[in-house]
């Protein structure tokens, strides 16, 4: 295996970006940022109204398509439509996500199935459907998986969410090493924001009826999540801008809120020192 030089992508104009969860929040902001750089877009979401609203904010005519990222066959069909309609994909943003709260011992099977389905399998399904064809095309490209700082921390009341986001971080790290082994022209980033005002505190709006059983203690944590999200200092647009700066710089870890690094350092030190974990979340 030779030295893998990394894959900064700076020439965006005319190239294709696929964004999941593009009907709201960070996904919408990524769509606006990608369109501003002259990219051709494919926007996927379960929320067609949200996708229409995103499309209305853009100058061009993106491909929009209903796609439940937790369903492998939906994502495969979306990939078929994108590759045949727009050609090769250069940026794949696996961004769609949902949040559930509550004590770990009161989580429901539905909480797990829904959250793992969207937050983890959504990313895995995107990688499986798009990356083999991106590699085969031989062109440069990048996969940007939206995790969270919750992918590095352990937040009380967020065990399900944290478990999915930690999984997205390690999935991304493994993939980075594998692409280097193959000397593929595809880079990877894991986008890890802290709180930003988006629709994430209302993620229940997208919970499928067949997975409706919700953690009975969720309400204890919902108000705190809403307040934290609403008081986030960076906007979704800020996060999208920082994401593109990270892509241009070929940065794997894109941490949008530098102050949170102290909490990550504490967790890492706790592990290395074999200390009982510190609860770094302010109350
Ligand atoms: N906002 C924050 O504070 C924050 C912080 C860290 C990480 N994140 C992550 O950012 C990503 C985007 O979230 P956001 O904050 O913009 O929230 P949001 O609710 O505004 O947007 C999420 C989008 O995902 C879509 N979605 C939900 N389930 C889906 C499914 N099964 N298939 C396809 N699309 C689906 C929703 O319809 C929505 O348009 C998520 O992965 C979230 O975990 C958000």
């Amino acid at each position: 295996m030779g030295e893998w030089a990394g894959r900064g992508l700076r020439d965006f104009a005319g190239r294709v970006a696929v964004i999941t969860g593009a009907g709201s929040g960070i996904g919408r902001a990524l769509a606006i940022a990608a369109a501003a750089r002259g990219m051709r877009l494919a926007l996927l979401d379960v929320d067609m109204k949200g996708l229409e609203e995103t499309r209305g904010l853009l100058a061009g005519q993106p491909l929009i398509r209903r796609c439940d990222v937790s369903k492998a066959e939906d994502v495969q069909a979306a990939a078929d439509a994108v590759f045949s309609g727009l050609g090769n994909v250069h940026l794949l943003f696996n961004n769609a996500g949902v949040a559930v709260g509550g004590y770990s011992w009161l989580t429901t099977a539905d909480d797990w199935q829904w959250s793992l389905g969207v937050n983890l399998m959504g990313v895995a399904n995107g990688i499986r459907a798009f990356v083999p064809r991106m590699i085969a095309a031989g062109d440069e490209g990048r996969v940007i998986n939206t995790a969270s700082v919750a992918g590095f921390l352990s937040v009380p009341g967020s065990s399900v969410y944290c478990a999915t986001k930690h999984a997205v971080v390690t999935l991304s790290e493994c993939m980075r090493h594998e692409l280097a082994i193959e000397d593929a022209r595809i880079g990877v980033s894991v986008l890890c924001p802290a709180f930003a005002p988006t629709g994430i505190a209302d993620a229940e709006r997208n919970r499928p009826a067949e997975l409706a059983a919700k953690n009975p203690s969720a309400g204890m944590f919902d108000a705190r999540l809403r307040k934290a999200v609403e008081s986030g200092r960076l906007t979704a647009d800020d996060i999208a801008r920082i994401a593109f700066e990270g892509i241009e710089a070929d940065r794997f870890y894109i941490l949008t809120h530098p102050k949170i690094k102290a909490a990550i350092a504490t967790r890492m030190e706790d592990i290395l020192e074999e200390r009982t974990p510190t609860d770094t979340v302010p109350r």
Side-chain angles (χ1 to χ4, degrees):
M1 183 189 13
E3 269 297 296
W4 196 63
R7 302 292 183 252
L9 189 75
R10 288 188 185 79
D11 300 326
F12 299 110
R15 289 178 146 170
V16 173
V18 177
I19 304 169
T20 70
S24 176
I26 294 169
R28 174 175 289 169
L30 288 168
I32 293 168
R37 287 161 177 77
M39 298 195 81
R40 295 180 296 130
L41 302 184
L43 309 179
L44 311 177
D45 206 299
V46 285
D47 178 1
M48 283 308 290
K49 189 164 165 284
L51 283 180
E52 296 283 3
E53 284 171 17
T54 301
R55 179 155 70 180
L57 298 168
L58 306 174
Q61 275 299 312
L63 184 160
I64 65 171
R65 185 181 168 103
R66 191 184 189 284
C67 173
D68 180 344
V69 295
S70 71
K71 297 201 163 81
E73 62 279 11
D74 258 29
V75 184
Q76 287 291 344
D80 291 347
V82 172
F83 281 96
S84 66
L86 299 178
N88 186 32
V89 170
H90 302 90
L91 294 183
L92 169 64
F93 291 93
N94 288 310
N95 166 79
V98 295
V100 296
Y103 285 128
S104 48
W105 55 89
L106 297 177
T107 52
T108 67
D110 287 2
D111 289 336
W112 284 105
Q113 197 179 326
W114 178 43
S115 303
L116 283 168
V118 181
N119 294 5
L120 176 56
M121 292 314 299
V123 175
N125 288 335
I127 291 168
R128 294 171 52 247
F130 285 91
V131 174
R133 284 180 260 193
M134 290 167 72
I135 293 174
D139 204 354
E140 60 186 342
R142 193 168 199 93
V143 179
I144 303 92
N145 298 323
T146 305
S148 166
V149 291
F152 302 114
L153 299 174
S154 299
V155 182
S158 292
S159 60
V160 178
Y161 186 72
C162 288
T164 65
K165 295 300 186 178
H166 279 246
V168 170
V169 171
T170 187
L171 168 59
S172 308
E173 290 170 347
C174 291
M175 187 175 152
R176 159 70 177 78
H177 301 321
E178 292 156 2
L179 287 165
I181 290 170
E182 282 298 310
D183 202 23
R185 299 185 73 203
I186 309 294
V188 195
S189 294
V190 61
L191 176 62
C192 298
F195 293 117
T198 66
I200 196 77
D202 296 309
E204 289 284 332
R205 71 192 185 281
N206 289 309
R207 191 195 273 250
E210 65 273 20
L211 299 176
K214 184 179 172 183
N215 189 317
S217 63
M220 277 181 65
F221 298 93
D222 283 354
R224 193 186 306 160
L225 173 68
R226 183 174 302 281
K227 192 170 164 224
V229 164
E230 283 171 1
S231 56
R233 294 235 183 96
L234 294 190
T235 64
D237 289 332
D238 292 327
I239 290 169
R241 176 181 43 78
I242 295 167
F244 269 92
E245 287 168 5
I247 294 166
E248 289 177 351
D250 186 27
R251 200 176 310 134
F252 178 85
Y253 298 107
I254 305 180
L255 275 69
T256 57
H257 295 65
K259 276 192 184 161
I260 205 79
K261 287 184 182 178
I264 299 171
T266 300
R267 175 170 182 265
M268 298 297 172
E269 286 158 12
D270 286 344
I271 294 169
L272 295 174
E273 299 292 329
E274 299 182 45
R275 291 191 302 239
T276 303
T278 310
D279 182 358
T280 51
V281 178
R283 247 172 279 284

